[in-house]
Structure formats: C-alpha cells, structure tokens
Amino acid sequence: MILDAPAEMRKNDPSGMLRMARKLPEQIERGIAVARSAPALPDSSRFRQIVVAGLGGSAIAGDILKGLLEDSGSIPCLVVREYTPPAFIGPDSLVFCSSYSGNTEETLSLYEAGKQKNAGLVCLGSGGELQRRALADGVPFLKMDEGLPPRAAIGYSFFMIYGLLARTSLLPDNTGELEETVSLLRRKAEIYREEIPTSDNPAKSMASALHKKLIIVYGTRLVSSVAMRWKCQFNENSKVLAFANVFPELNHNEIEGWLGFRALGVPAEVVVLRDRSEHSRVSKRIGITLELIRGNGTGTREVWSEGESPLARIFSLIYLGDFASIYLALLYGQDPTPVNRIQELKRRLSEESSK
C-alpha cells in the first residue's frame, strides 16, 4: 500500500505538499511575527464590523475568524466571496483584502470598492497587483512568503489577520491560545508524518476510509469553517468531489435527501467534525441523524477536536483534514499540488477579457 511506502509517496508528491503541511506550525509563528511588526491599525475603536474579502483559502481564514468572533469577540465578521461588497460597507468597516497571489480579480474588485467607500483597508498576500495598489495608496500590506499554493498558506492568511487584531481592542488577548495551538500542531505533525504507518496514523486511516467514496463533511457552529476547509482540501488536493454542511441547518433540508440516496448506488462516507462547544440539542440531533444515514448503508465517522482553547481545537481538526486530503490524493495516484482545472478556468477567463 502506497501510504506505507514513504519513498514512493515522495515520488508522487514532487512539489512537496506533505512537507508544506508539516511546516504549518513554523508558518503560523512567521505570520504572527509579521503581524506584530506591522504598523498598528489606526483608531480601531471606529470599526463596527470586520470584513474579510477573499476567495478559496483566504476566505476560509475569514470563516475561521468569523467563528471565533461569534464565540468571544465584540464585533461581527463578514466574509465576502464576490466582486461587489454589501451596501453597508463604509468608514466604520475594517476590510481585510486577502489574495495570496495578489491577482485574484474578485479581491481586487473588492479593494477598489472598499477604497471608494472610505473603509479601513488592510491587504495581505505574497505580491502581485494587490501589493502594487496597496503601496501606491498607502494601505498597509502584510507580505507572505512566496512559492506556496494559496491553500498551503493558511498559517499566513489567518494568523496575520488574527495577530493584527490581537493588538487592538477588537480581539481578546490570545498569547496563550497561540502558544497552545503551535505546540499541539507540532505534536500532530509527528503523528501524521509519512513515516508513521497507517495503523498508527489517523490521517492515513482517514484517507483510507474515504478512498473511492463520495465525501460529505458536517460541522457544528464553532467548527463549521473546518467542514468547508475539509471539503475544499479534498477538492483541490485529492481531486475528488466533496460536500459540506452544518448542524442544525442540515436537519431542516439535507436530511431528506438521504432518503433517495441509496438508489444512486454511490458509495459515500459522512464525517462529522465535533467540538465540545456544540449545543446539547445539536448533540442529540447528530446522534439521530447518523442513525438515519447509516440506515441507508452509508458509512459514518465522528472526529472530535482536541485542545483547550477554541483556536487550538479548530486547528486540530484543520490539520487532520489537510494531511488526510494529501494522503487521499496519493491513494488515487494524484500529485496533490497542481490545480489544473482552476488554472484552465483562469486562462480562459483571461482570453475572454482580452477579446
């Protein structure tokens, strides 16, 4: 089995996605260092909402922040995955424009809209057009290291924002949470590394369980962003279809869809990401829902977050999903790094724009 042949895995991972995953703890520390050395936000007391403008991995960073602020913050957070911002964006909005490449057209559009509406702007990425515009306009730009797939830069895209907000009154002091998160991920990196056999490696075991199956990931309130992260990592790394939803919302619609699922004859596995913060009624809903799904012959599994702080618990689940998605790619004989369909779409859009 390829997952227990480290040398073979490395041959099928020429760009080193596993290596990039292992370096997440160091990336987090670097992202925090950049945030702490950046200029402070001007008069943060004026802001009434935070907006994260981005797509893909940058948007996931916003989803994570939104969940944390709902849990312990003092102002709301909105994630915009679009060309046009909501009408209420204005001078009391703090807008983080995040694009790893710096060339994401939707994010550039949102940057211009935020500037026109006199919103507070902060940009982050590895360079590109976003950096050029930010520097020309005197807007703070937090620079990420180059050479990464955007989805492998979550240590920058999230923790740069988190670290900057921690220097204001908009986020509680988080030094202890950061230290716990980095320490936990370092321990997990040792457990998930390619030399650890499948029998002792939860990430490899998860990949094996999901091989040749349709993947459905469910989350609960605090970790709903993680369910979306898992879905996107399976899409981009493993090159497979995967879907995500959240309790209790899915009990008001999607649960009915399982009634006719057996007729499709598609093998599937449901993974429920769980956290101790979930409401007691949600816990009951999960139990009943999984019983109903198993009645269709579909496999189910539950994964609990680890750690004390909400931040550590969120990233404990993210890290497992990241590694599992890479190992699943290798099971399919796929190089996890290239995203050829995404690049083809961008190429064709560019051709259309030049006509």
Side-chain angles (χ1 to χ4, degrees), residues 280-324:
S280 60
R281 294 294 292 177
V282 168
S283 298
K284 292 182 184 298
R285 286 174 175 272
I286 291 172
I288 297 169
T289 301
L290 293 185
E291 284 183 14
L292 293 172
I293 291 173
R294 285 193 292 267
N296 282 350
T298 299
T300 66
R301 56 190 57 239
E302 300 170 58
V303 183
W304 285 87
S305 63
E306 299 180 43
E308 292 302 317
S309 67
L311 184 67
R313 300 200 311 269
I314 287 171
F315 272 87
S316 74
L317 291 173
I318 285 176
Y319 214 33
L320 173 60
D322 284 2
F323 273 96

Side-chain angles (χ1 to χ4, degrees), residues 18-292:
L18 279 170
R19 172 180 48 80
M20 288 183 255
R22 284 198 306 273
K23 290 188 174 181
L24 178 59
E26 290 75 22
Q27 189 185 111
I28 291 171
E29 291 178 325
R30 170 68 177 149
I32 290 294
V34 170
R36 286 174 174 167
S37 63
L41 292 173
D43 188 21
S44 60
S45 63
R46 83 182 220 223
F47 299 122
R48 294 293 175 265
Q49 64 267 331
I50 295 170
V51 177
V52 178
L55 284 294
S58 300
I60 293 293
D63 291 336
I64 297 167
L65 179 65
K66 179 176 181 290
L68 287 168
L69 287 173
E70 288 175 351
D71 186 65
S72 60
S74 58
I75 63 172
C77 176
L78 174 71
V79 183
V80 181
R81 295 170 161 92
E82 250 293 351
Y83 289 89
T84 308
F88 63 76
I89 298 296
D92 62 352
S93 306
L94 174 57
V95 180
F96 290 95
C97 294
S98 181
S99 165
Y100 181 77
S101 69
N103 297 315
T104 306
E105 64 181 39
E106 298 95 329
T107 308
L108 292 171
S109 175
L110 290 166
Y111 172 83
E112 293 300 324
K115 189 169 67 170
Q116 291 172 10
K117 289 172 172 284
N118 295 315
L121 291 170
V122 177
C123 297
L124 53 156
S126 66
E129 180 64 15
L130 186 62
Q131 181 182 27
R132 189 194 69 75
R133 295 187 193 184
L135 295 180
D137 294 334
V139 171
F141 186 88
L142 280 64
K143 188 167 175 59
M144 307 176 190
D145 291 339
E146 299 177 23
L148 296 169
R151 62 193 183 278
I154 195 167
Y156 293 135
S157 60
F158 173 75
F159 284 93
M160 283 183 172
I161 297 175
Y162 193 69
L164 195 59
L165 289 175
R167 297 169 53 194
T168 73
S169 60
L170 301 177
L171 199 68
D173 177 69
N174 56 21
T175 303
E177 292 193 6
L178 289 168
E179 291 174 351
E180 182 201 5
T181 301
V182 170
S183 177
L184 185 150
L185 295 186
R186 283 207 167 101
R187 294 195 304 273
K188 292 298 181 183
E190 290 301 306
I191 296 169
Y192 299 154
R193 61 191 173 92
E194 56 262 45
E195 292 82 6
I196 303 300
T198 302
S199 57
D200 299 317
N201 189 321
K204 290 183 179 181
S205 297
M206 178 65 71
S208 298
L210 300 178
H211 189 217
K212 296 183 178 179
K213 294 179 181 177
L214 180 67
I215 303 168
I216 299 98
V217 188
Y218 291 154
T220 57
R221 182 172 175 267
L222 182 67
V223 297
S224 60
S225 60
V226 187
M228 178 59 75
R229 169 72 174 185
W230 276 47
K231 171 228 178 302
C232 294
Q233 291 294 81
F234 286 126
N235 294 156
E236 294 189 63
N237 288 339
S238 313
K239 326 300 179 193
V240 297
L241 284 176
F243 301 92
N245 211 329
V246 61
F247 284 99
E249 172 62 24
L250 70 91
N251 285 154
H252 296 267
N253 35 65
E254 186 164 318
I255 191 173
E256 281 297 317
W258 285 104
L259 192 62
F261 184 75
R262 184 195 289 266
L264 299 178
V266 178
E269 191 83 7
V270 173
V271 182
V272 182
L273 306 179
R274 305 196 62 175
D275 182 73
R276 68 189 191 209
S277 67
E278 67 191 33
H279 194 282
S280 60
R281 294 294 292 177
V282 168
S283 298
K284 292 182 184 298
R285 286 174 175 272
I286 291 172
I288 297 169
T289 301
L290 293 185
E291 284 183 14
L292 293 172

